[in-house]
Amino acid sequence: MRITLKVWRQSGPAKAGTLVEYAADNVSADMSFLEMLDLVNEGLIARGEDPIAFDSDCREGICGACGFLIDGLPHGPVRGSTVCQLHMRSFSDGDTLVLEPWRAKAFPLVKDLVVDRSAFDRIIQAGGYTSINVGGARDANSILIGKDTVEQAMDSAACIACGACVAACKNASAALFTAAKITHLSLLPQGQVERYTRVVRMVDRHDDEGFGSCSNEGECEAVCPKEIPITNIARMNREYLKATLMRGR
Amino acid sequence: MSSFRRVFTSSVGTKLLIGLTGLALFAYLILHLAGNLLIFFGQETFNEYSHKLISNPLVVPVEIGLLLIFLLHVYKAIINWMGNQAARPVRYEKTEWAGHKSRKSVSSVTMIWTGLMTLLFVVVHLKQFRFGAWYEIGSPPIRDLYRTETELFTAPAWVAVYVLCVILVGFHLRHGISSAFQSIGADHPVYTKRLVVWGTAFAILIGGGFAIIPIWVYLTR
């Protein structure tokens, strides 16, 4: 396959960026999208040019490190997948693809397709934890939790914090990420102690980072590699309402 | 813990207020439409209804409350929109709608514009009806709102303006109704999906219901 890439190249946060065209030749349909980029980068390095910077780690779709827009869609056109688990067979020979980094005030650009997502870490630090004294490992079933609750909490916990929700949202809102973390912990008994302080602190931190608000369109849900539904956001709103009305602040 | 004021300025709190005020305005629109449809029962019925309404001592306090709800909705929505614009200072070169389960629609991306058009329309509409031409009929005399309305809608330009504006209101409701429920935290495995369908149905009923009136008046006068 031969693919033409138009990649956002920007050497640093304060530098000007632009789309630069590259030809990817001899692309196998079985390559992952990132392997295809590795191939392009090998060519660039051989020519003495600066390789395209992009994030990746596990390349198994579970770590959340990778991600950029392919033709205007975070993680590309395949549902429920990260770019590392997207394969070139999803494209056709001769395709031209535009690659851009996540765009958000809260995700400052580092280089090319790499953005700084530490805003997510700070949202977690604000309340995405449970204060439990850790000792020896406890028996896994010492706290009984209903099957449905476990499944629901796990569906939310599946969030890998890749940032695709922010990238897809017209308001660059991290509502889905924040809501998934709040939902996960508010459903489980271990999360009850900090349940109401958590939601307020995490939402406040979310806003302080410069993310927008939720317009309830659900673009985030549609691009989420873990297909986390926006019903999580409704739960976050409900938890927030309870936290502010019933407990004061 | 942050201050109490932050409850209403946070992203979630702002949307809660927009949702609650929006639902109140939606409820009002249903009552307004129900009242307006009485015009199909003729001049006498319509005027009697309008007289009962405006002679009620509670009408002014309710109007003031409604105005405050409306202004709060507009104010928070504009502030919210500006904040959201600032959240993505650098635009994408290429964007696509995600499709699939997304509810993004022409209606959802134009909320601020259909909203601002509605604001303009409400000002004109209040001037033409609430504070419009005052005719009296019968003894004891009561306001002949029927005449005010039928006179206005003899002009095809006003018929067109009203029809267009209420269709825009319909578009606003198409996304607004289900979105408001989501904003105030309503989610249910079954009813949430139905909410989007019912929201669309109500948007068509309200937009269409209001649009029929000026057309009907124009055609029958």
Side-chain angles (χ1 to χ4, degrees), chain B residues 38-54:
Chain B
L38 290 176
I39 199 156
F40 292 118
F41 295 96
Q43 185 167 17
E44 208 173 312
T45 315
F46 188 68
N47 281 339
E48 260 173 43
Y49 159 73
S50 111
H51 179 70
K52 272 195 186 119
L53 199 65
I54 57 179

Side-chain angles (χ1 to χ4, degrees), chain A residues 5 14 23-24 30-31 101 120 149 182 190 194 222 237:
Chain A
L5 299 173
D30 295 328
M31 281 179 173
F120 272 10
T149 309
I182 289 168
Q190 294 93 328
E194 288 129 334
N237 297 344

Side-chain angles (χ1 to χ4, degrees), chain A residues 19 48 83 122 160:
Chain A
L19 287 176
V83 279
R122 290 189 291 272
I160 53 175

Side-chain angles (χ1 to χ4, degrees), chain A residues 71-72 79 100 103 105 166-167 169-170 204 207-208 213-217 219 230 234 237-238 240 249, chain B residues 2 6-7 10-11 15 80 84 87-88 92-94 96 98 100 102-103 108 175 179 182-183 185 187:
Chain A
D71 267 358
R79 308 278 175 214
E100 285 182 87
R103 298 274 190 211
K105 185 182 164 194
V166 176
C169 177
K170 68 174 182 191
D204 283 353
D207 296 352
D208 289 342
S213 69
C214 177
S215 285
N216 305 318
E217 286 184 328
E219 289 284 286
I230 58 167
N237 297 344
R238 204 159 64 233
Y240 188 87
R249 294 193 41 147
Chain B
S2 48
R6 184 115 194 225
V7 178
S10 73
S11 60
K15 290 293 295 192
N80 183 53
N84 287 340
R88 176 166 292 134
Y92 289 113
E93 299 283 322
K94 183 170 185 179
E96 290 284 338
H100 191 42
S102 174
R103 300 173 195 168
S108 78
H175 178 71
S179 177
Q182 165 92 5
S183 288
D187 102 80

Side-chain angles (χ1 to χ4, degrees), chain B residues 87-152:
Chain B
R88 176 166 292 134
V90 183
R91 304 265 135 196
Y92 289 113
E93 299 283 322
K94 183 170 185 179
T95 47
E96 290 284 338
W97 289 14
H100 191 42
K101 285 181 178 171
S102 174
R103 300 173 195 168
K104 191 171 193 167
S105 61
V106 174
S107 150
S108 78
V109 296
T110 53
M111 288 301 276
I112 186 75
W113 308 116
T114 50
L116 289 173
M117 283 302 292
T118 304
L119 173 64
L120 268 179
F121 170 62
V122 164
V123 173
V124 172
H125 176 53
L126 284 176
K127 193 170 174 297
Q128 286 177 325
F129 284 85
R130 175 69 175 81
F131 305 103
W134 187 286
Y135 304 111
E136 286 186 341
I137 191 169
S139 64
I142 60 168
R143 185 178 181 189
D144 190 0
L145 192 65
Y146 184 86
R147 188 174 157 194
T148 310
E149 177 157 356
T150 48
E151 273 185 1
L152 180 71

